[in-house]
Amino acid sequence: EVVMTQSPATLSVSPGERAILSCRASQSVNSNLAWYQQKPGQAPRLLIYGASTRSTGIPARFSGSGSGTEFTLAISSLQSEDFAVYFCHQYNEGHTFGQGTKLDI
Amino acid sequence: EVQLVESGGGLVKPGGSLRLSCEASGFTFSSYVMTWVRQAPGKGLEWVSSISSSTNYIYYADSVKGRFTISRDNAKNSLYLRMNSLRAEDTAMYSCARVRHGYYFIDIWGQGTMVTVSS
């Protein structure tokens, strides 16, 4: 099983700042990685797939990068609505998920 | 609006059974691979099972194989998960999800239905 490890578990930032979230795979997943945003009581929302392709309607301040085993989600100029939990998902071999990073004010 | 709405969760005793349902709307359900994913309290997400659009291909996580059965009714735009021989470790929020057509990632998630296995 491919184990996905996200860091940090919690990231405290201020509105207007830039946030960098990391996701590491225990073996190569090529570019078969997605990022999701989840707010309390809501279903997750797809942000990024193919490691770097923004999903329809996702603002340009969200960007994904990486391939193989190391991936990054960057959120520039944080807005109040961006404070949520973010998790990664590899779909190269089955489906496994990271534990999530909580973006906190 | 594309939407997935789960139902059927609840409290069940160990060894009991439950059937979860997921009603889809806003898209051509019969064209998509569908998946169940769960999240135990305080734990990460775990893929449970997937079913192809025409039910030709069905896959299960080892942790539920032989106990859970995934199915779908394309005429009713519905996905199901029959859960037998439930264990305490099956306690989780169960969400249905759609796999992007032609790809393998999940693009739409439901909000989930909670299953609690306890005596």
Side-chain angles (χ1 to χ4, degrees):
Chain A
E1 177 181 287
V2 182
V3 178
M4 306 302 292
T5 304
Q6 288 187 244
S7 60
T10 303
L11 182 60
S12 295
V13 290
S14 299
E17 291 185 339
R18 177 181 174 87
I20 306 289
L21 289 65
S22 296
C23 176
R24 175 178 292 177
S26 60
Q27 64 190 68
S28 175
V29 298
N30 299 302
S31 294
N32 295 315
L33 185 107
W35 288 94
Y36 304 86
Q37 176 193 69
Q38 187 172 25
K39 298 179 180 178
Q42 296 184 17
R45 177 173 73 144
L46 174 68
L47 300 174
I48 301 284
Y49 62 91
S52 60
T53 302
R54 271 191 307 277
S55 184
T56 304
I58 300 303
R61 64 179 183 274
F62 291 90
S63 63
S65 63
S67 66
T69 61
E70 301 283 344
F71 300 89
T72 296
L73 174 69
I75 313 170
S76 64
S77 190
L78 281 159
Q79 310 291 305
S80 57
E81 62 266 28
D82 299 336
F83 291 93
V85 173
Y86 293 83
F87 63 92
C88 58
H89 160 217
Q90 74 79 20
Y91 50 95
N92 188 68
E93 187 179 300
H95 295 272
T96 51
F97 304 88
Q99 296 277 73
T101 291
K102 182 179 180 181
L103 205 52
D104 223 355
I105 296 179
Chain B
E1 181 193 4
V2 175
Q3 201 170 6
L4 298 170
V5 178
E6 302 91 338
S7 61
L11 175 64
V12 60
K13 288 181 167 52
S17 297
L18 215 52
R19 188 202 196 202
L20 306 183
S21 298
C22 170
E23 186 171 342
S25 59
F27 66 98
T28 306
F29 178 75
S30 59
S31 296
Y32 287 85
V33 173
M34 298 297 295
T35 287
W36 286 99
V37 177
R38 68 184 181 183
Q39 185 168 27
K43 300 280 185 68
L45 289 156
E46 179 188 17
W47 169 78
V48 173
S49 181
S50 294
I51 185 169
S52 63
S53 56
S54 56
T55 73
N56 287 347
Y57 301 98
I58 289 177
Y59 305 96
Y60 296 99
D62 287 343
S63 57
V64 307
K65 202 173 293 184
R67 301 186 299 122
F68 289 12
T69 303
I70 192 172
S71 62
R72 63 191 297 163
D73 185 336
N74 288 339
K76 294 183 178 179
N77 292 333
S78 292
L79 177 72
Y80 306 102
L81 187 68
R82 176 69 179 180
M83 304 185 294
N84 295 331
S85 304
L86 282 161
R87 307 165 180 166
E89 54 265 36
D90 295 319
T91 293
M93 179 72 77
Y94 285 75
S95 298
C96 71
R98 185 184 85 172
V99 174
R100 174 68 61 91
H101 191 62
Y103 294 85
Y104 293 101
F105 62 88
I106 292 170
D107 66 346
I108 301 293
W109 298 70
Q111 284 193 267
T113 186
M114 186 68 199
V115 172
T116 303
V117 185
S118 174
S119 54

